[in-house]
Amino acid sequence: IHKGADELVYLVLNCSKLINGRSPCVVLHGSVFKQETLIEFVKKRLIELMNVYLSDKRIDLEAANQIYEKYTDQKEV
């Protein structure tokens, strides 16, 4: 679980770098995030760098994009 959490954090941070670190939030979604220990490790590593949300609902890429746009619009005001 520790190694898996480290790998997920590594992927999130690298994706954030690809968009010039402009990602203010990350949504943890999927069955892998039903494992509470994994969630704790991932959130602990990311919480100081960005907002971390846990989604237990079915979400598709378009919905995730809308959430992201809504959040970033609020931050820029």
Side-chain angles (χ1 to χ4, degrees):
I1 291 175
H2 289 271
K3 183 173 174 146
D6 287 342
E7 291 294 325
L8 288 169
V9 167
Y10 174 80
L11 291 171
V12 168
L13 294 176
N14 279 325
C15 286
S16 181
K17 287 178 187 175
L18 289 173
I19 56 172
N20 298 321
R22 294 185 311 217
S23 179
C25 65
V26 64
V27 178
L28 306 177
H29 177 73
S31 60
V32 69
F33 296 110
K34 295 192 185 306
Q35 169 52 254
E36 290 182 29
T37 306
L38 179 69
I39 295 168
E40 288 177 33
F41 291 139
V42 171
K43 285 177 96 172
K44 185 177 181 181
R45 297 270 315 274
L46 292 176
I47 200 75
E48 293 181 14
L49 304 171
M50 57 188 70
N51 294 312
V52 179
Y53 300 97
L54 180 63
S55 171
D56 60 351
K57 300 186 185 272
R58 183 170 171 84
I59 189 170
D60 64 10
L61 184 57
E62 184 177 342
N65 203 19
Q66 289 175 356
I67 292 168
Y68 175 77
E69 287 175 4
K70 180 179 178 184
Y71 179 80
T72 55
D73 287 344
Q74 291 174 355
K75 286 291 189 178
E76 291 175 4
V77 172

